[in-house]
Amino acid sequence: MIYINGKFLSKPMSGVIRFAQEVVKQFDKEEYKDKFIILTDKGVKGNFKFLKTQEIGMFHGNLFEQISLRNFMKKHKDDELLNLCNSSPLGIRSISVVHDVTFLKKPRIYSLPFTLWYKYLIRKKVHQDKLVLTVSETSKKEIIEHYKIDPNKVIVISNGANILDCQADDVFLHKYNLFDKNYFLYVGASYPHKNINSIIELANKNKDKTFV
């Protein structure tokens, strides 16, 4: 059996959470229903057609991961654990997706407690885990160089693209008066590592262009 760390089901939306949701959707098929089970904290249920969810322990968040999930997997040593959102239980040799190592970079973009915890956790896990998955060649290079691990242990699984079945909403075209205009569109967070400053500099040098 392959168990999936379902901590992401109780977390607010982010890029990492969206990644986990979309990956799990690909497993939500009849052919996989007896191969995967998603482990969740108490009171959390997934909305899946075929995949089963199983509540374990009494904790939430990091305590769910480091106590409930770890204790469960220690009793299921012959099974695999897949972690899709960076963090995973210490002491369990599993398969984990480490999306990037931005928590190592300056200026610091996360809180100090979060940064210190991730520095400790990810270092332990990349050496301990069976496989480390990441989403780009750049992240793979940084993980290998910083943690000095075997390159063959790090596998790139690129982010995919899904086709959304929805109707276009032109409210923002009206709001920013973009009809009949050519414009450059950025969608994402405003963290420094997203290179927002580069976009602003480019916009300032091209005042005849529209940047949204």
Side-chain angles (χ1 to χ4, degrees):
M1 181 65 67
I2 299 175
Y3 291 101
I4 298 176
N5 180 349
K7 178 183 170 185
F8 69 92
L9 290 174
S10 61
K11 305 294 286 184
M13 181 59 72
S14 68
V16 170
I17 301 302
R18 177 68 182 278
F19 171 90
Q21 291 178 346
E22 295 299 325
V23 168
V24 170
K25 279 182 185 178
Q26 302 308 309
F27 296 140
D28 191 19
K29 300 173 182 177
E30 189 170 11
E31 61 191 285
Y32 297 128
K33 67 179 182 180
D34 296 320
K35 297 179 180 178
F36 295 90
I37 293 179
I38 304 175
L39 301 175
T40 67
D41 41 345
K42 191 174 182 179
V44 176
K45 298 183 183 298
N47 183 24
F48 302 104
K49 186 175 181 180
F50 296 104
L51 286 182
K52 300 174 184 175
T53 58
Q54 180 177 339
E55 297 177 36
I56 59 171
M58 56 182 291
F59 297 106
H60 301 278
N62 288 335
L63 291 179
F64 158 76
E65 205 166 55
Q66 298 304 325
I67 298 177
S68 303
L69 190 53
R70 181 175 60 187
N71 290 342
F72 181 91
M73 291 309 302
K74 281 185 176 296
K75 297 176 182 178
H76 295 77
K77 294 181 179 180
D78 294 331
D79 297 312
E80 299 286 355
L81 176 65
L82 174 61
N83 309 282
L84 296 167
C85 299
N86 295 312
S87 61
S88 56
L90 290 164
I92 299 299
R93 195 163 180 261
S94 53
I95 300 170
S96 301
V97 180
V98 177
H99 288 256
D100 55 53
V101 290
T102 52
F103 55 88
L104 296 173
K105 299 181 179 181
K106 295 181 180 180
R108 192 175 75 237
I109 61 174
Y110 304 112
S111 68
L112 182 58
F114 178 92
T115 301
L116 293 175
W117 167 238
Y118 257 48
K119 282 184 175 181
Y120 173 78
L121 176 67
I122 303 301
R123 177 177 292 280
K124 289 282 189 181
K125 290 299 296 181
V126 296
H127 287 285
Q128 173 184 290
D129 279 348
K130 297 176 181 179
L131 286 175
V132 177
L133 310 180
T134 192
V135 295
S136 72
E137 293 293 342
T138 297
S139 291
K140 175 177 179 175
K141 180 181 177 182
E142 290 177 341
I143 290 167
I144 293 168
E145 289 181 350
H146 185 80
Y147 295 111
K148 304 295 188 293
I149 61 175
D150 180 359
N152 294 319
K153 187 178 179 178
V154 185
I155 298 175
V156 175
I157 52 167
S158 302
N159 289 316
N162 59 342
I163 306 302
L164 301 177
D165 183 18
C166 60
Q167 297 297 314
D169 188 341
D170 60 8
V171 61
F172 286 100
L173 297 178
H174 286 290
K175 182 177 180 179
Y176 296 109
N177 191 28
L178 297 173
F179 281 102
D180 301 321
K181 280 186 180 179
N182 291 321
Y183 56 90
F184 296 92
L185 174 67
Y186 169 77
V187 179
S190 58
Y191 293 127
H193 71 279
K194 299 294 185 181
N195 292 324
I196 300 298
N197 287 338
S198 297
I199 298 175
I200 294 172
E201 289 175 11
L202 194 62
N204 287 333
K205 292 178 181 177
N206 296 273
K207 295 185 181 298
D208 59 321
K209 309 294 183 184
T210 301
F211 288 77
V212 184

